[in-house]
Amino acid sequence: MSNLDKFANQRESQLDQLFGEVPAEIDVSVKLPSEGRFYSNKQPEVVITPIKFEDEKQLATSLKNNINPINLILSKCVKNTDINSLLLIDKLYLLLKIREISYGEQYPANITCPKCQTTSEVNIKLNELIVNVIPAEITDPREFVLPKLKKLVEVRFPRVSDEGFMNSQEEVYNNIWRFVTKLNGVSDPIFISKAIPKMHIMDVKVILNQIMRTDLGLNPKFLYGCGACGAETEMEVPINENFFSVI
């Protein structure tokens, strides 16, 4: 054995001694809001693991490298799952659970009161946020009758692979047709894209509400009480790249 090999073995032994008493990272199984019904494997649970230091380092440089930091975390911490196929409803919930097992159930966030504009730090208890499971009767895609046009329309849930079409409200409006799988029995996307702009606003709003279904999955809202002015306001947990940092 060469001296280099001896030194390498010695370093490995020292590392084993250093971390020998540290508990191994614990994989956690979490049940998805969708219960896995809309994936090919039909598994209601996925396995997640806490964020490692190396993951946070990559997170810090991801934007410079044109990498979506949130999806990077998912790819590192969700095991044996095609991230691009995740429903956005499931994605949001998984982000919450990854943060919770990595840093604890309390999330310190700086919140600005919309009444008096005072900014203060609050500790949000992530384990107390409401999660609504997608009811068994809801399918993907699913159809319903438009209130004004009185025709059947079929829509699907957005997935991570669709996020590029949803970066702004304008992009969402321009890409509604991508989430409409059938209109009056016709599945031609060009026909659907030309029909939507001609619709009554009430029909379009109903389509949007059915696509997004913000009433399902994680409800990120909490009641914020301002210590400066006493106002109570419903706010949303700010889930972004800073959500995965303790600094």
Side-chain angles (χ1 to χ4, degrees):
M1 180 182 294
S2 69
N3 287 336
L4 286 177
D5 290 335
K6 289 180 181 179
F7 284 129
N9 289 339
Q10 183 179 358
R11 280 194 295 268
E12 290 300 321
S13 177
Q14 290 171 334
L15 285 169
D16 289 340
Q17 292 177 18
L18 178 63
F19 294 104
E21 296 182 4
V22 177
E25 297 292 352
I26 300 175
D27 292 345
V28 177
S29 292
V30 295
K31 190 172 184 179
L32 297 168
S34 70
E35 297 183 327
R37 297 201 311 274
F38 312 123
Y39 305 120
S40 58
N41 61 12
K42 306 297 182 184
Q43 293 298 313
E45 297 183 352
V46 298
V47 176
I48 60 174
T49 187
I51 297 171
K52 299 179 179 65
F53 175 59
E54 188 62 32
D55 299 334
E56 187 160 324
K57 283 171 58 183
Q58 292 186 33
L59 182 65
T61 59
S62 59
L63 288 176
K64 296 179 183 178
N65 298 323
N66 294 319
I67 299 173
N68 183 304
I70 298 299
N71 291 344
L72 175 64
I73 287 295
L74 288 171
S75 68
K76 296 288 185 180
C77 299
V78 183
K79 294 190 171 184
N80 303 319
T81 300
D82 177 12
I83 301 303
N84 283 328
S85 71
L86 279 174
L87 299 187
L88 295 188
I89 289 173
D90 285 338
K91 171 186 172 176
L92 187 62
Y93 176 70
L94 287 173
L95 292 174
L96 171 84
K97 300 306 291 184
I98 291 169
R99 209 295 173 180
E100 187 177 327
I101 68 169
S102 298
Y103 299 117
E105 62 189 31
Q106 294 207 32
Y107 172 48
N110 290 320
I111 303 294
T112 300
C113 175
K115 304 293 184 183
C116 68
Q117 303 304 309
T118 299
T119 298
S120 56
E121 184 178 281
V122 297
N123 283 312
I124 304 167
K125 293 184 178 180
L126 300 178
N127 61 332
E128 293 183 359
L129 295 176
I130 297 171
V131 179
N132 296 309
V133 173
I134 299 177
E137 64 270 18
I138 292 182
T139 59
D140 188 54
R142 58 206 168 279
E143 64 178 18
F144 52 93
V145 176
L146 293 171
K148 291 294 184 180
L149 194 58
K150 305 298 183 185
K151 303 294 184 182
L152 273 176
V153 62
E154 184 181 78
V155 301
R156 65 175 179 86
F157 284 123
R159 299 179 184 249
V160 171
S161 58
D162 298 312
E163 287 181 312
F165 307 118
M166 307 173 71
N167 290 320
S168 67
Q169 191 66 54
E170 181 181 4
E171 286 191 14
V172 171
Y173 287 151
N174 290 339
N175 288 285
I176 293 173
W177 61 272
R178 296 180 184 275
F179 305 98
V180 177
T181 52
K182 196 177 293 184
L183 176 60
N184 196 32
V186 180
S187 57
D188 174 21
I190 296 178
F191 166 79
I192 294 170
S193 69
K194 290 182 177 297
I196 289 175
K198 300 178 183 295
M199 288 183 182
H200 191 282
I201 185 62
M202 185 181 294
D203 285 343
V204 176
K205 291 293 186 182
V206 169
I207 290 173
L208 268 176
N209 288 338
Q210 284 294 324
I211 291 170
M212 304 307 296
R213 289 305 301 260
T214 55
D215 58 315
L216 301 176
L218 173 68
N219 182 351
K221 296 179 180 179
F222 66 99
L223 191 63
Y224 168 66
C226 179
C229 69
E232 290 190 338
T233 310
E234 190 176 64
M235 306 284 284
E236 284 196 10
V237 179
I239 299 179
N240 50 38
E241 60 271 19
N242 297 323
F243 190 60
F244 296 97
S245 175
V246 293
I247 300 175

